[in-house]
């Protein structure tokens, strides 16, 4: 990885090179960059463990949703149009897109602040998952794992920028495909094969989990399962580190190729991870007596009394895998985590530099100064996220849900509608920003302070569904998709000449 960083450093001289690889990246590389940025230790350790435990094998629907909605449809609907419009406008970041699409510098500034603030918890969640796995495999202290990973990522991203990140993503993606396939095979084989494992899973019952539901098609809690599918699948359409991959792709052929590759990648990686997590209760138990009687691992409660969900998958791997395969899994999760982390820090540093710092500098900044500033900010961003990640009591899924909910809730609707419709107004974009961030922040405040009433059984049931930051994130996205066209129908586009000209130029660009 460091070698690739050094190699790409020689070919990285301009801002376009550093942020977008010169807009000349092929379909295979972009597809793997998209997939490896999408799936990290957050999915493999955090989400697979928590949702596999909660929903059983029906958690595999999350992986299917990620493949169909989060990968295939995202590429088919957004890919070509994003490439054409951002290239025509000369936009390198999501905030720059908002500025040039809606002719508003204030939209750029506010969206840049949102990106910076809410990418930090996502970055912390990536560290969290990797560190738990390293702790299980090597007894390395949690803090040492986090700092070591940050340093290694910093080296190759700071040296080589997007191109180094994308090439490393390709290598890391191949490791992920092979490793997850092997892990799923071992997890199921250890329990006597697929049919036997399903039968054992169906025999398990627990509070809120009746018998024969963990092995059923839609599991014990289909409503909350839908919330997870929406957040983790539709969310990619509005995440700056994901859609920015379309800015850099070379041509239409690369987009067609990338659509197929990224979808297949998601089926194996996401589908395999969630299916594996679905068998978590066969390897662990929250009841100490049951764990002792059956030989399963006892999954302890955390500081808040809830299960240590992030320890479920490491426990499964420890029990089911031979040591050599555990070594491969460690490399797998390291690969998945570093590819996501590199994408996050590159997105954040480029956003701050291009959208906030450069406009504030009198006389502007040349390419050399911009690239240097991005490199410094990458280091600063990594340090800040390390500080947050050093608190191991925060769940991976919570950190990721807060990040995805705010970013996708704010950006998805105005980004997507803005690609295809001239009628979307600035007022509608502002409304989406306010509702996306507002729903996420208000939800955090209400449930962190325990302000939700629980006087009745109905209220308690409602609280159970609404307390999830995942459901809050899904609601934020759906609200954005509704309010943007609604507000646009009551307000007017003031700079119609500017918008007409932009769409006319983008319509001519068929290259």
């Amino acid at each position: 990885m460091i070698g690739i960083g050094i190699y790409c450093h020689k070919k990285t001289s301009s801002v376009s090179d550093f942020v977008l690889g010169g807009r000349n990246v092929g379909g295979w590389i972009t597809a793997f960059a998209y997939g490896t940025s999408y799936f990290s230790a957050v999915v493999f350790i955090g989400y697979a463990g928590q949702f596999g435990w909660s929903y059983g094998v029906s958690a595999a629907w999350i992986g299917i949703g990620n493949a169909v909605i989060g990968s295939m449809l995202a590429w088919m609907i957004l890919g070509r149009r994003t490439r054409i419009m951002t290239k025509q406008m000369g936009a390198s970041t999501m905030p720059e897109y908002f500025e040039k699409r809606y002719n508003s510098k204030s939209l750029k500034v506010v969206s840049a602040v949102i990106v910076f603030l809410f990418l930090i918890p996502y970055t912390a969640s990536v560290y969290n998952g990797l560190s738990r796995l390293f702790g299980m495999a090597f007894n390395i202290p949690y803090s040492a794992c986090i700092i070591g990973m940050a340093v290694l990522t910093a080296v190759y991203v700071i040296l080589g920028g997007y191109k180094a990140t994308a090439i490393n993503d390709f290598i890391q993606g191949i490791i992920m495909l092979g490793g997850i396939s092997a892990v799923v095979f071992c997890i199921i084989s250890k329990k006597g094969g697929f049919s036997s494992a399903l039968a054992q899973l169906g025999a398990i019952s627990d509070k809120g989990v009746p018998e024969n539901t963990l092995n059923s098609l839609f599991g014990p809690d289909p409503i909350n399962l839908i919330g997870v599918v929406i957040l983790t699948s539709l969310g990619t359409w509005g995440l700056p580190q994901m859609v920015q991959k379309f800015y850099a792709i070379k041509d239409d052929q690369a987009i067609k190729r990338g659509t197929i590759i990224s979808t297949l990648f998601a089926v194996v990686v996401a589908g395999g991870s969630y299916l594996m997590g679905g068998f978590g209760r066969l390897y662990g138990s929250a009841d100490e007596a049951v764990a002792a009687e059956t030989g399963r691992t006892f999954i302890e409660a955390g500081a808040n009394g809830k299960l240590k969900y992030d320890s479920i998958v490491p426990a499964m791997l420890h029990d089911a895998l031979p040591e050599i395969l555990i070594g491969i899994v460690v490399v797998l999760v390291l690969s998945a985590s570093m590819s996501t982390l590199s994408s996050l820090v590159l997105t954040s540093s480029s956003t701050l530099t291009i959208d906030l710092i450069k406009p504030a500098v009198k006389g502007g900044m040349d390419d050399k100064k911009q690239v240097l500033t991005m490199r410094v900010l990458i280091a600063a961003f990594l340090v800040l996220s390390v500080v947050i990640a050093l608190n191991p009591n925060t769940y991976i899924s919570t950190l990721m849900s807060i990040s995805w909910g705010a970013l996708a809730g704010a950006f998805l609707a105005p980004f997507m509608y803005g690609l295809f419709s001239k009628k979307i107004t600035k007022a509608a974009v502002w409304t989406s920003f306010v509702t996306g961030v507002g729903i996420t922040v208000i939800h955090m405040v209400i449930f962190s302070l325990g302000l939700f009433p629980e006087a009745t059984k109905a209220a308690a049931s409602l609280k159970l569904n609404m307390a999830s930051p995942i459901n809050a994130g899904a609601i934020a996205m759906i609200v954005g998709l509704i309010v943007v066209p609604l507000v646009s129908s009551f307000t007017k586009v003031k700079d119609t000449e500017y918008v007409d000209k932009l769409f006319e130029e983008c319509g001519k660009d068929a290259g």
Side-chain angles (χ1 to χ4, degrees):
M1 285 187 274
I2 292 172
I4 289 169
I6 294 169
Y7 168 76
C8 294
H9 179 65
K10 298 173 183 177
K11 300 189 174 186
T12 303
S13 55
S14 68
V15 171
S16 178
D17 291 338
F18 193 81
V19 178
L20 299 175
R23 294 187 188 265
N24 195 36
V25 183
W28 277 91
I29 298 289
T30 304
F32 272 74
Y34 186 92
T36 54
S37 296
Y38 196 165
F39 309 114
S40 66
V42 174
V43 170
F44 189 75
I45 302 295
Y47 272 23
Q50 179 171 345
F51 301 130
W53 185 276
S54 302
Y55 308 130
V57 290
S58 67
W61 283 111
I62 306 170
I64 294 169
N66 293 171
V68 175
I69 302 170
S71 295
M72 185 179 74
L73 290 179
W75 276 74
M76 289 173 66
I77 294 171
L78 302 180
R80 183 176 184 274
R81 188 66 184 172
T82 299
R83 184 186 71 82
I84 289 173
M85 188 166 273
T86 56
K87 184 180 179 182
Q88 189 64 44
M89 293 188 300
S92 301
T93 65
M94 180 78 93
E96 209 171 20
Y97 165 85
F98 285 124
E99 178 197 23
K100 295 184 177 180
R101 166 61 184 86
Y102 297 104
N103 197 21
S104 170
K105 287 187 178 180
S106 52
L107 281 176
K108 178 176 77 169
V109 172
V110 172
S111 58
V113 171
I114 294 171
V115 169
F116 179 72
L117 289 178
F118 288 97
L119 278 185
I120 293 172
Y122 188 11
T123 308
S125 73
V126 175
Y127 288 122
N128 199 328
L130 183 77
S131 300
R132 291 181 188 280
L133 186 64
F134 265 73
M136 178 276 290
F138 301 125
N139 261 341
I140 299 174
Y142 179 83
S143 56
C145 294
I146 289 175
I147 294 167
M149 181 181 169
V151 170
L152 186 54
T153 306
V155 170
Y156 82 78
V157 180
I158 288 171
L159 282 174
Y162 181 81
K163 192 159 277 186
T165 300
I167 295 172
N168 273 320
D169 286 349
F170 183 72
I171 297 168
Q172 292 158 350
I174 292 171
I175 295 169
M176 289 167 67
L177 287 171
I180 285 178
S181 300
V183 168
V184 173
F185 176 78
C186 288
I187 291 289
I188 295 173
S189 297
K190 184 82 172 179
K191 296 300 176 182
F194 191 69
S195 298
S196 174
L198 278 181
Q200 293 173 57
L201 199 61
I204 295 174
S205 61
D206 200 351
K207 183 181 178 183
V209 181
E211 200 171 323
N212 290 318
T213 56
L214 290 170
N215 64 344
S216 65
L217 189 61
F218 298 108
D221 190 5
I223 293 176
N224 278 309
L225 178 62
I226 291 170
V228 180
V229 172
I230 292 172
L231 178 76
T232 61
S233 302
L234 194 59
T236 60
W237 295 38
L239 295 177
Q241 75 273 18
M242 300 301 297
V243 297
Q244 207 161 311
K245 302 293 186 290
F246 300 136
Y247 294 22
I249 200 164
K250 184 164 56 175
D251 52 32
D252 286 359
Q253 281 301 114
I255 289 173
K256 291 176 184 176
R257 198 177 299 118
T259 303
I260 297 168
I261 297 163
S262 67
T263 304
L264 294 175
F265 185 91
V267 168
V268 175
V269 173
S273 294
Y274 287 113
L275 180 64
M276 171 202 69
F279 293 101
R281 287 177 187 255
L282 298 183
Y283 289 89
S285 174
D287 186 316
E288 196 163 6
V290 172
E293 184 182 339
T294 60
R296 299 177 198 162
T297 300
F298 172 52
I299 309 296
E300 300 176 56
N304 55 6
K306 292 184 178 179
L307 212 61
K308 286 186 177 178
Y309 291 116
D310 300 340
S311 64
I312 293 170
V313 169
M316 294 174 69
L317 301 178
H318 184 267
D319 290 348
L321 270 56
E323 285 190 357
I324 184 65
L325 197 52
I326 287 179
I328 292 171
V329 169
V330 169
V331 178
L332 177 161
V333 180
L334 175 66
S335 298
S337 300
M338 292 189 69
S339 56
T340 301
L341 184 58
S342 60
S343 177
L344 294 174
V345 296
L346 189 59
T347 300
S348 184
S349 66
S350 60
T351 295
L352 277 180
T353 303
I354 294 170
D355 303 318
L356 290 179
I357 297 173
K358 182 184 173 184
V361 175
K362 290 184 178 180
M365 299 170 71
D366 59 22
D367 275 13
K368 191 174 180 180
K369 285 182 180 177
Q370 287 183 66
V371 171
L372 176 62
T373 304
M374 285 183 220
R375 286 175 167 145
V376 172
L377 285 171
I378 285 169
F381 187 76
L382 284 167
V383 169
L384 189 57
S385 52
V386 162
V387 171
I388 295 174
L390 285 173
N391 173 17
N393 294 320
T394 307
Y395 287 126
I396 293 173
S397 61
T398 301
L399 290 169
M400 180 178 164
S401 301
I402 290 168
S403 174
W404 279 44
L407 290 168
F411 297 155
L412 189 157
F415 175 78
M416 182 180 70
Y417 288 136
L419 291 173
F420 300 100
S421 174
K422 299 179 184 180
K423 297 179 180 179
I424 305 303
T425 64
K426 291 176 194 174
V429 181
W430 282 117
T431 305
S432 183
F433 284 8
V434 171
T435 56
V437 175
I439 288 171
T440 304
V441 172
I442 291 169
H443 179 273
M444 286 168 56
V445 171
I446 287 175
F447 287 99
S448 63
L449 297 178
L451 301 178
F452 199 99
E454 203 174 341
T456 65
K457 188 176 181 180
S461 175
L462 179 62
K463 179 179 179 180
L464 185 65
N465 288 322
M466 292 306 296
S468 167
I470 295 160
N471 287 346
I475 290 168
M477 284 185 276
I478 293 169
V479 168
L481 290 170
I482 295 169
V483 301
V484 167
L486 190 64
V487 173
S488 294
S489 68
F490 289 105
T491 53
K492 290 185 178 181
V493 177
K494 295 178 181 178
D495 39 11
T496 52
E497 287 186 23
Y498 173 85
V499 175
D500 287 342
K501 185 181 178 183
L502 175 62
F503 271 76
E504 185 182 348
E505 289 172 347
C506 290
K508 289 176 183 177
D509 186 354

